[in-house]
Amino acid sequence: MTTQVQDRIHDRRELTAALLRALERRHEVLDAIVDSKDHAEALTTVAGLLDTSEAYAEAVLNLTFRRLTKDERLRIQSELEDLDAKLEWTASDRPASTGRNFRLRPFTPTDGDAELFRRRCAEQEEDGTPWSQERIEKERAEGLKRIDDESAAWFVCEDTAENTSVGLVFGELTGREVDVAIWVAPECRKKGYGTAAVKHSRQELAAEFPGTVLVVRAPA
């Protein structure tokens, strides 16, 4: 099974598990929401209560009353068991996949971001030949121009706990679609950063390019 498929299954599994925990602790969750000052505070509180990300806590806040029945809880439990059976790895194997200590920030012309881009491009080939330094710098300059023209949005992936840059996300607007490419640094692979990047990029790129369809390519 491909990494991209496994990432999607894992993403769905974590969401389903958060919903099930919310239903099992519905009284605590409801109290937390009612006692919150506003939506942002409710989101943070529920995420902490359920030990999940704010993205999944948002799904909990969006639960409707019809989802609170016993039959619905049994259905979610069954879905969770089915997803567990399909997973080849879990969040404990790839802790970064939860996205809790992960963020995206805009790509900048700074030396640090430029070097990260060069590392990514060093893995690119055309007809079996690695990109030249001239080609790499040309690609970066053209990308920065597209960012200025608002036809592209590039982000640096950061692990906030380690205070390190771990990869890049590229969003390129084509018509009504945004082609999304994700690159994770070699030393950071198989830790879940690709999964976290997919989750965060959905929200960031939807805000950058509202009304478009995101087409995500598999993380490196």
Side-chain angles (χ1 to χ4, degrees):
M1 195 177 294
T2 67
T3 299
Q4 188 176 26
V5 171
Q6 278 287 299
D7 283 345
R8 286 200 299 266
I9 294 173
H10 179 270
D11 195 11
R12 182 65 189 177
R13 190 265 175 209
E14 292 299 298
L15 171 60
T16 304
L19 292 175
L20 187 60
R21 288 197 298 273
L23 294 176
E24 291 171 344
R25 303 177 64 180
R26 54 196 175 278
H27 300 297
E28 296 172 75
V29 171
L30 183 58
D31 285 345
I33 294 172
V34 171
D35 291 341
S36 294
K37 176 184 177 182
D38 52 26
H39 179 268
E41 183 178 320
L43 203 60
T44 302
T45 303
V46 170
L49 181 65
L50 299 177
D51 190 25
T52 192
S53 69
E54 291 195 359
Y56 298 140
E58 183 72 62
V60 170
L61 264 61
N62 288 333
L63 277 170
T64 59
F65 284 114
R66 68 178 180 81
R67 302 288 304 276
L68 305 182
T69 63
K70 290 181 181 179
D71 282 349
E72 186 66 13
R73 292 202 297 277
L74 289 173
R75 188 196 66 75
I76 294 175
Q77 177 66 54
S78 177
E79 180 181 359
L80 182 60
E81 292 171 358
D82 182 59
L83 291 167
D84 281 341
K86 294 177 180 177
L87 271 177
E88 296 174 0
W89 56 268
T90 65
S92 60
D93 300 318
R94 300 185 181 185
S97 64
T98 63
R100 289 173 209 159
N101 297 313
F102 183 93
R103 74 170 182 175
L104 295 179
R105 65 164 175 79
F107 183 89
T108 67
T110 62
D111 290 342
D113 289 1
E115 181 57 32
L116 198 62
F117 183 78
R118 293 185 190 106
R119 290 187 63 198
R120 177 260 183 183
C121 290
E123 298 183 358
Q124 307 301 306
E125 293 184 352
E126 186 171 350
D127 297 328
T129 303
W131 285 7
S132 65
Q133 289 301 310
E134 182 181 357
R135 166 76 182 274
I136 292 172
E137 294 308 317
K138 180 173 182 290
E139 292 284 339
R140 185 170 70 92
E142 290 178 351
L144 290 170
K145 184 176 186 304
R146 291 194 301 275
I147 293 171
D148 288 341
D149 293 341
E150 299 183 351
S151 62
W154 291 6
F155 299 93
V156 175
C157 308
E158 294 186 330
D159 185 320
T160 57
E162 300 293 335
N163 194 29
T164 56
S165 298
V166 298
L168 296 167
V169 171
F170 304 93
E172 300 284 344
L173 182 63
T174 306
R176 301 305 301 168
E177 291 186 344
V178 179
D179 185 28
V180 185
I182 295 170
W183 175 80
V184 177
E187 69 276 11
C188 299
R189 291 172 189 168
K190 298 189 181 301
K191 297 180 181 180
Y193 289 114
T195 299
V198 170
K199 295 174 186 175
H200 285 256
S201 63
R202 289 173 187 153
Q203 181 176 352
E204 294 287 350
L205 291 169
E208 290 281 344
F209 306 110
T212 58
V213 176
L214 304 185
V215 181
V216 182
R217 284 191 265 137

